[in-house]
Amino acid sequence: MSIHGKKRMVTSKAEEVLTQSNALFRALIDKSSDIIVLANAEGMLTYISSSVTHIMGYSPEELVGSPALGLVHPDDLAVMQQVSGAIQQAPETSLRAEYRLRCKDGLWRWFEGVGTNLLDDPEVGAIIGNFRDITERKQVEEALQAEEQRFRMVWESASDAMSLSDREGKVLAANPAYYQLYGFKPEDVLGQPFSIIFSKEQQAWAQALYQATFESEKRDASIESTVVRADGTIRIVEASYDFLVQHGRRIAMISIIRDITERKQTQEQLQASEERFRALLERSADAISLLNKEGRRLYSTPASARIVGYEPTEYVGEETFGHIHPDDVQHVRHVLVAIIQQPGKSLPAHFRVRHKNGQWVWIEGTGTNLLDHPSVQAVVVNYRDFTERKHLEEALRQSKEQLEVILQNIADGISVQETSGAIVYMNEAGAKLCGYTSPAEVLRVPDFQTQHAYTLQRFEILDAQGKPFPLAELPGSRALRGEQAPQAIVQYYDRVSQTRRWSLVRAQPIVDEDGQVQLAVTIFSDITEAYEAEQRKDEFIGMASHELKTPITTVKGLTQLVKRKLEKQGAPELIAIMSTIETQLNRLTKLVNELLDISKIQAGRLDYAEEPIDIDELIQSIVNTAQLTNTTHTITVQGTAHKHILGDRDRLEQVFLNLISNAVKYSPQADTVALRMTTSQEKVIVGVQDFGVGIPQEHQDKIFERFYRVADETTKAFPGLGMGLYISSEIVKRHGGEITVESEEGKGSLFAVSLPVVS
Ligand code: ADP
């Protein structure tokens, strides 16, 4: 209750009435929830109603006599001083103010006070102040203000466009996001029908829809639509709405419009990429199934129909193990459990599955645990039919096993070396031959030097002549250098048993697509028995030719004696017979000599002299000798060497006489044999050319072998044993030179002897 400046008329009625009414007012005042104060012109409190006690905690006596503004908050004091000054100056007027006062407990509370100057009123003679506690109201006000502030912030900073429109659709307010979205300015929109944001054609329709929505009881969820912005660009929006209700009546609509253009686009892109992935999966040759953590099939790609005969839909939800071969179930279950136990784990498995047609199909599958992956949540199994491959593998394994059995049981030793020379495979026989107890013992040390050293501990490795065999010249080493089919006869002297064995060692390089040597395969054939038989044969030939020599020499001497006696007696017929006997004896001597030479060569016992020889002189004398015995052909010499060589004159003579006699023998239709001499810094080359039958290409590199003869129709008719060229080439080799041949069938041959010269 407040007391406003109204003149109070106190009449002179009975004292009693007055006292009564006084008591009534006092009671009213004291019980009031307001505090009533009186202050004098000096601003001192002269009266305070007792309501001050329960509101502020002071007793009236405590405050009477103190300044009226004594409890005012320092921040409010200046204003209050102004207000109370104004009150004092204006009698009979009231002024209102809000301010804080200090209570007895020391806390500040808000009060609203009204002061009225009744100093001039004879019945009051004071300033009446009346104030009430408004602390609660103040707090509510502040809270409201803060709330309002927050709402405004949301409104201002929301990314969604928002507008408020009244019953008729007039826009009352819109937030910045709204202007941003539509591209309008506030002045274009505020107070205008909301439909202004639509195209001209759509405005009437939009207005009608608005009205209907406003009236309708039914509430739609959000509405998706397109918006043409003021600049003509198009956005996709999602709009939702709500109503402001007062007294049960809708008074305004709040629209919230969200720009979902980007979201839409990413959604579309996602969808497109999902479709792409699905298409990829479904067209993949491998089948893919998704299993849940119980192992049940959630999904299968169409490829599974091709592999197992069932359509994916026939399968879904079924226990995966249902179709698996009973022998494989345990294994597959094992693998699946291991996969399921560990997120991200991936394991392969091979197993059989019954095809719809009843046959077993071999499956090769890999399961990966993606149960934790938010967009998969399954065990992903990729699988393919590998029945055919399985059969192939099986066949391959069998043939490999067969091969292995063969390799391990054949008498020949077999080893495989890699490019470093290290042996990576060896069969039983090979291992034995190298002094090992088993192949495993060889393969334990993976380097060639160690392996070779091990072999050398047990064996001396020698060539046919009994000299140490150089490591780099072993056929395996040569094959690794790319040489095709190198071979050698190798002698193994076993230090333990002190026996000798001979092996024919053949090797072959294995190359990759680029022709690079990857491996060398070596085969050791034990030829000891054959080799020894051959040696016995050689020894026999040696012995036989040696034994033949003495009787022939005797017969030859006696023949000459008889011939001389007959010449003295003059018996021409018998002399002619004796000459024929002599010629045949000479042929026989030559053959026996050649046989003897061969056995000497074999035994490494052919002796050579080493003397300087003038090559021009040597050749000339050979030609002279040859010409004496050959009457059918003219032997010519072209060129001179002016060089000396170091060697055995008789042996070299043997070489050239042999070449010349071959040239004559194999060119019965011709009449010349041409010798040609050419030289270089280090060597002299003597060519012996004939114009005879020639040598077929395939025989050319074999004619220097012992006892080799070309056995075709043309050459069969010529007598001979295939010894001459072998002996010649051995002699030339011993001189550090070589013999080569160039020949064309029916045209003739050119044998070239090259010998190193001495300076
Ligand atoms: P032979 O005593 O059989 O002539 P050789 O060792 O001298 O033995 O020759 C070996 C083979 O080489 C001969 O059998 C012959 O087929 C062939 N040959 C050697 N020289 C000639 C040549 N000048 N023309 C054609 N063939 C030749």
Side-chain angles (χ1 to χ4, degrees), residues 506-522:
R506 285 165 294 169
Q508 189 64 36
I510 294 178
V511 295
D512 63 13
E513 298 112 62
D514 308 328
Q516 290 298 90
V517 176
Q518 295 298 312
L519 299 166
V521 178
T522 304

Side-chain angles (χ1 to χ4, degrees), residues 658 662-663 665-666 690 693-695 703 708-710 715 719-726 749 751:
N658 180 44
N662 275 352
K665 181 164 75 174
Y666 293 104
D690 66 59
V693 295
I695 306 161
I703 53 174
Y708 192 88
R709 306 201 70 234
V710 177
T715 31
L721 288 175
M723 294 190 288
L725 283 183
Y726 171 69
S749 311
F751 285 84

Side-chain angles (χ1 to χ4, degrees), residues 17 81 358 467 730:
V17 176
Q81 277 164 351
K467 290 197 291 288
E730 287 299 313

